[in-house]
Amino acid sequence: MELSMGNNGGASGDEHEAASNSRNKGKNAYHRHSNQQIQQLEKFFKECPHPDENQRRQLSRELGLEAKQIKFWFQNKRTQKKAQSERADNSVLRLENERIQCENLAIIEALKNVICPACGGPPFGEEERQRSLQKLKQENARLKEEASLDYLNEHEKVSTLLTKYIGKSISQIDSLTPGAGSSHGVLTTNPGIDLERNPGLDNSQLVYKRRGILDMEKALMAETAASAADELVRLLRVNEPLWIKSPSDGRYILDRVGYEKLYPRDSHFKSSNARVESSKDSAMVIMPGMDLVDMFLDPNKWMDLFPTIVTKARTILLLEAGTVGNRNGSLQMMYEQMHILSPLVPPREFYFLRLCQQLEPGEWVIADISYDFMRDGSPSRTWRLPSGCMIQDKPNGCSKVTWVEHVEVDDRTQTHRLYRDLICGRSAYGAERWIASLRRICERLALYKEETAAAREFGGVITSPEGRKSIVSLAHRMVKIFFASLGMSGKLDFPQLSEVHNSGVRVAIRKNTEQGQPIGMVVSAATSLWLPLSPQNVFNFFKDEKSRIQWDILSNSNPVHVISHISNGTNPGNCISITHQPFIPTENNMLILQESCTDSSGSMVVYAPLDIPAMNMVIGGADSSIIPILPSGFVISGDGRPDTGGDSSTSTSSTGADSGGSLLTVAFQILVAGPNATSSTELNMESVATVNTLISTTVLKIKAALNCSNLG
């Protein structure tokens, strides 16, 4: 049998030619970008090496390329840049290695010729050198042990003397905030101590010991804050791949796997209910960057910027004041309490370090991180990971603020079921809420710096700039008092009154002594409920002063007369109004001051009665801080649940997703006794019953007005 071996196993010459043409055709199909396309891509790469899908699609349209080609070009370019960087690093390291090798050889040669400086003879041999080294190590260990014992003995002596003469030990003094008699925590001499009675008590030694302890702690604080700032800058400046864009609402979510590879750390809470919340947002605000920095570093101004979030704030210890003019390097230990929406939501407390760094002219970073601090009470259920914001100066007195909020929380079991979906989501206390509140307050402050602020007051009652400023200040203080009252400190349980509607009525009784509020016994009551309506519809109902007769049982259906209306921003829902409405019993000398505001995180309507003489003082420009005010109001938010289609006009909730309904909190405060009244069980129970009836009846009227009476 013959096998035909010609033509390479039977393939014809035509077939070879066709195959060759096919291969050449495949090679010729490779597309080369034009010089113009490459220049445009290079220019964009310098500004943004990681374009998102929208940016890639825009480039593909501009350059006439497919989106995949744009994607692959950027991937190849990043790989090329990385390779070039690694080659450059390798070259530098290679040169450094060669230099060190040369120095090493030179040192070895020099050691061969070394002589003893004492006798001029040859140096010690290796064996002798090792024996000497061992003796030195033993001596060093002995000295360390002696120094440690001496320090402990001295510390015990100092503590004993302090306990004897001051009545407090060092550990107790550590927990105290430095007062007027101290400088950054350095202990000063108590004038009542007679040093001559005990010559062993040397004041200079006490100051030295106390300063040494604080210096060690201060160094640790500074290092902790600096590390947090470095991490925060990276979180602020980088989006993908460290932050993943959510396909549902477009918000950025921190990639936990990638983050923990870069910044590994143990979880602060061991509970299975613990969770990590992370969010990022940015916006332009109407305020210069330096002004924002100053307000962020002042705890009172910090509370004024975020009255609906921050209820308490104070500086515990100022470690560094920072550079005059830009506050670079400012470092302080702070305490903060945050609370939102309802008494059903547990407050969040933080002891944290706040560091301000100026990255370059016109650009700052404010970094916060929790820090262990000796304090009384139950342990906090929140721990702040590196969080904060970047502030960048922009033209026309504006700033761009980029915010990152990153916390570890263990409060699920403390949160009522009504608010659990919202609070245990990632954005209830997230960056979006902080940014929305900041934008609204900055817009409010900017409006009343303008000369045209008078045009924003309708009614012609407030004629002077001082009067407008006084009214706005009083309304702002009213909002702060209202949100502080939602914490319900000193809450009392009245089980027989806790079966009304969704959450029941929560009541707190306190004897108020604070300036700016009525002095005496105050009863606070609040209830929260779910409504199958959009937050915007609920807000519109309460914002309209004319709808008050539908829910206010004290109005006796008397019509409302709007005396003055002051705009607080571009959104018509942000405004202050003064209205007149007779009450039961007839009170013709009473007015209502009301502020309503709304943003992407939620809405509120807060009001308080004022008599006409007090209102005239405020309108005349008097100091409004002396006017006692006791506000009540409503807080509206989305429910944090997906849309169930119950309301066709459902708007975006505070979580960013379409809300299935609204969460409404109704809160009243009533002065039930004057400053000289004594607390009694009969008085308390009678007051609680009255307020419970008031708030329960109000809720029934609200449901009827909103066609929700069928809700349980």
Side-chain angles (χ1 to χ4, degrees):
M1 179 182 294
E2 285 186 23
L3 297 174
S4 176
M5 301 297 294
N7 291 330
N8 292 327
S12 68
D14 292 341
E15 290 172 342
H16 274 292
E17 185 176 356
S20 176
N21 290 338
S22 177
R23 287 192 297 271
N24 291 335
K25 184 178 179 180
K27 292 181 179 178
N28 293 335
Y30 177 77
H31 175 76
R32 275 195 166 286
H33 302 323
S34 67
N35 290 336
Q36 183 180 3
Q37 290 171 334
I38 293 175
Q39 289 176 359
Q40 288 293 100
L41 290 169
E42 292 278 4
K43 181 179 178 181
F44 195 92
F45 183 87
K46 290 180 181 178
E47 298 177 355
C48 179
H50 292 273
D52 58 27
E53 186 177 347
N54 292 333
Q55 292 171 320
R56 293 197 297 268
R57 193 178 297 115
Q58 178 69 21
L59 281 173
S60 69
R61 287 196 296 268
E62 292 177 357
L63 302 179
L65 298 173
E66 295 181 6
K68 287 185 177 180
Q69 289 178 295
I70 299 293
K71 180 179 179 180
F72 292 148
W73 188 90
F74 274 88
Q75 286 178 349
N76 294 337
K77 187 65 177 177
R78 290 193 295 268
T79 303
Q80 180 187 5
K81 282 287 186 182
K82 183 178 179 181
Q84 290 174 351
S85 177
E86 289 176 350
R87 283 197 296 271
D89 291 342
N90 289 340
S91 298
V92 172
L93 291 173
R94 191 180 300 110
L95 291 173
E96 184 69 13
N97 189 31
E98 291 175 357
R99 184 185 65 80
I100 292 174
Q101 286 180 347
C102 291
E103 289 181 0
N104 193 25
L105 291 173
I107 291 172
I108 291 173
E109 290 298 322
L111 287 174
K112 292 180 180 178
N113 301 320
V114 73
I115 61 173
C116 176
C119 64
F124 287 140
E126 182 63 24
E127 187 174 321
E128 185 67 23
R129 185 182 296 109
Q130 290 298 330
R131 283 198 296 268
S132 300
L133 183 61
Q134 187 65 25
K135 290 180 180 179
L136 288 174
K137 287 182 178 179
Q138 293 174 353
E139 182 69 12
N140 190 32
R142 184 182 64 79
L143 291 173
K144 281 184 177 180
E145 185 177 357
E146 289 181 359
S148 178
L149 289 173
D150 289 341
Y151 175 80
L152 290 174
N153 292 335
E154 189 68 23
H155 186 276
E156 186 177 354
K157 290 178 183 178
V158 171
S159 182
T160 302
L161 289 170
L162 287 174
T163 304
K164 180 178 180 180
Y165 289 101
I166 303 179
K168 294 183 177 66
S169 63
I170 284 182
S171 61
Q172 291 174 309
I173 294 175
D174 280 340
S175 63
L176 297 180
T177 303
S182 62
S183 176
H184 297 291
V186 178
L187 181 65
T188 57
T189 307
N190 188 328
I193 298 177
D194 186 0
L195 295 177
E196 294 181 359
R197 292 193 306 174
N198 192 333
L201 183 60
D202 186 342
N203 181 53
S204 63
Q205 290 180 2
L206 287 178
V207 175
Y208 176 80
K209 288 292 183 183
R210 184 72 181 123
R211 187 188 300 273
I213 294 172
L214 282 181
D215 284 347
M216 288 188 291
E217 186 76 6
K218 178 180 175 181
L220 180 59
M221 290 179 177
E223 178 62 28
T224 301
S227 299
D230 292 341
E231 179 178 327
L232 178 62
V233 168
R234 184 164 186 175
L235 291 176
L236 289 164
R237 286 181 168 169
V238 175
N239 284 337
E240 297 175 352
L242 197 55
W243 293 88
I244 303 172
K245 200 169 187 179
S246 171
S248 60
D249 57 17
R251 291 193 171 111
Y252 282 105
I253 307 169
L254 191 62
D255 177 20
R256 300 304 310 171
V257 176
Y259 171 80
E260 289 171 2
K261 286 182 180 178
L262 289 173
Y263 304 104
R265 56 166 56 91
D266 293 332
S267 176
H268 188 76
F269 301 109
K270 306 305 178 185
S271 168
S272 59
N273 290 322
R275 67 187 186 279
V276 174
E277 298 175 356
S278 59
S279 56
K280 182 179 183 180
D281 198 15
S282 63
M284 296 289 292
V285 299
I286 309 173
M287 184 174 288
M290 192 65 244
D291 291 352
L292 277 177
V293 170
D294 285 335
M295 295 188 79
F296 278 32
L297 298 179
D298 184 319
N300 293 322
K301 294 179 180 178
W302 171 253
M303 293 171 63
D304 286 336
L305 274 180
F306 303 99
T308 60
I309 304 175
V310 182
T311 55
K312 295 179 183 178
R314 67 177 185 270
T315 297
I316 297 173
L317 187 63
L318 179 63
L319 297 159
E320 294 291 344
T323 306
V324 177
N326 59 28
R327 304 302 298 273
N328 182 44
S330 172
L331 177 61
Q332 54 187 310
M333 165 74 78
M334 294 184 67
Y335 166 78
E336 174 185 64
Q337 183 186 80
M338 304 188 311
H339 188 253
I340 58 174
L341 303 177
S342 167
L344 304 181
V345 178
R348 295 186 175 183
E349 288 186 314
F350 296 97
Y351 288 84
F352 65 99
L353 297 170
R354 171 163 290 179
L355 173 65
C356 173
Q357 287 185 344
Q358 186 177 36
L359 304 178
E360 56 185 62
E363 183 177 63
W364 296 264
V365 63
I366 306 291
D368 296 343
I369 185 169
S370 283
Y371 191 83
D372 280 318
F373 185 75
M374 186 181 298
R375 57 191 184 275
D376 297 329
S378 59
S380 174
R381 294 185 176 273
T382 52
W383 186 261
R384 179 170 281 155
L385 301 171
S387 304
C389 65
M390 182 179 291
I391 302 170
Q392 297 170 293
D393 254 334
K394 298 295 180 181
N396 302 320
C398 295
S399 301
K400 180 182 179 182
V401 180
T402 305
W403 201 291
V404 164
E405 196 68 16
H406 194 192
V407 296
E408 191 174 350
V409 193
D410 183 18
D411 65 355
R412 183 177 181 85
T413 56
Q414 279 72 41
T415 304
H416 192 275
R417 56 181 176 80
L418 270 179
Y419 284 89
R420 198 166 292 162
D421 290 332
L422 178 61
I423 299 301
C424 295
R426 57 185 169 81
S427 60
Y429 280 98
E432 296 88 353
R433 182 176 294 274
W434 291 95
I435 286 291
S437 179
L438 181 63
R439 289 183 66 182
R440 179 172 53 80
I441 294 296
C442 287
E443 184 181 37
R444 174 195 181 112
L445 294 174
L447 285 176
Y448 291 95
K449 289 181 180 178
E450 298 177 0
E451 295 180 358
T452 58
R456 300 185 178 275
E457 190 267 324
F458 305 98
V461 174
I462 308 172
T463 57
S464 67
E466 293 79 10
R468 285 189 295 274
K469 181 179 179 181
S470 186
I471 285 288
V472 171
S473 298
L474 180 60
H476 186 71
R477 181 163 63 86
M478 175 178 69
V479 171
K480 289 176 63 178
I481 294 172
F482 174 75
F483 275 87
S485 72
L486 291 181
M488 288 287 193
S489 60
K491 176 178 67 70
L492 299 178
D493 292 326
F494 297 92
Q496 68 274 21
L497 303 178
S498 299
E499 299 176 358
V500 183
H501 307 302
N502 294 56
S503 70
V505 179
R506 292 200 170 184
V507 180
I509 302 175
R510 72 180 189 275
K511 189 168 185 178
N512 186 61
T513 58
E514 294 185 19
Q515 184 181 5
Q517 299 182 48
I519 306 300
M521 296 295 296
V522 175
V523 175
S524 302
T527 186
S528 297
L529 63 151
W530 179 83
L531 295 171
L533 302 171
S534 72
Q536 187 62 48
N537 287 347
V538 178
F539 172 68
N540 290 340
F541 171 75
F542 287 108
K543 174 179 70 72
D544 186 1
E545 295 89 350
K546 295 180 180 179
S547 68
R548 175 179 286 272
I549 60 175
Q550 299 182 53
W551 57 263
D552 191 348
I553 64 175
L554 298 180
S555 67
N556 197 25
S557 300
N558 290 316
V560 174
H561 303 288
V562 179
I563 297 175
S564 180
H565 183 93
I566 305 172
S567 175
N568 262 345
T570 54
N571 190 319
N574 295 329
C575 60
I576 300 171
S577 63
I578 302 173
T579 61
H580 177 259
Q581 181 183 32
F583 291 92
I584 302 174
T586 302
E587 294 282 354
N588 291 322
N589 65 334
M590 295 299 292
L591 300 176
I592 295 292
L593 176 66
Q594 176 174 301
E595 174 161 357
S596 62
C597 64
T598 183
D599 55 43
S600 60
S601 66
S603 309
M604 68 170 186
V605 176
V606 182
Y607 65 92
L610 283 177
D611 58 46
I612 291 178
M615 186 66 77
N616 286 335
M617 287 178 56
V618 178
I619 292 175
D623 181 10
S624 63
S625 64
I626 64 174
I627 304 295
I629 193 166
L630 195 62
S632 301
F634 309 92
V635 184
I636 307 117
S637 71
D639 59 8
R641 306 168 193 169
D643 186 11
T644 57
D647 181 8
S648 59
S649 61
T650 297
S651 66
T652 301
S653 76
S654 63
T655 60
D658 286 340
S659 171
S662 301
L663 292 173
L664 170 66
T665 293
V666 183
F668 291 157
Q669 294 190 92
I670 298 176
L671 181 69
V672 296
N676 298 324
T678 58
S679 176
S680 67
T681 304
E682 292 79 9
L683 173 64
N684 290 346
M685 292 305 298
E686 181 181 356
S687 303
V688 167
T690 302
V691 175
N692 176 71
T693 301
L694 174 64
I695 200 168
S696 301
T697 307
T698 301
V699 168
L700 290 175
K701 290 176 70 69
I702 291 170
K703 287 183 177 181
L706 296 175
N707 297 319
C708 298
S709 297
N710 58 335
L711 293 178

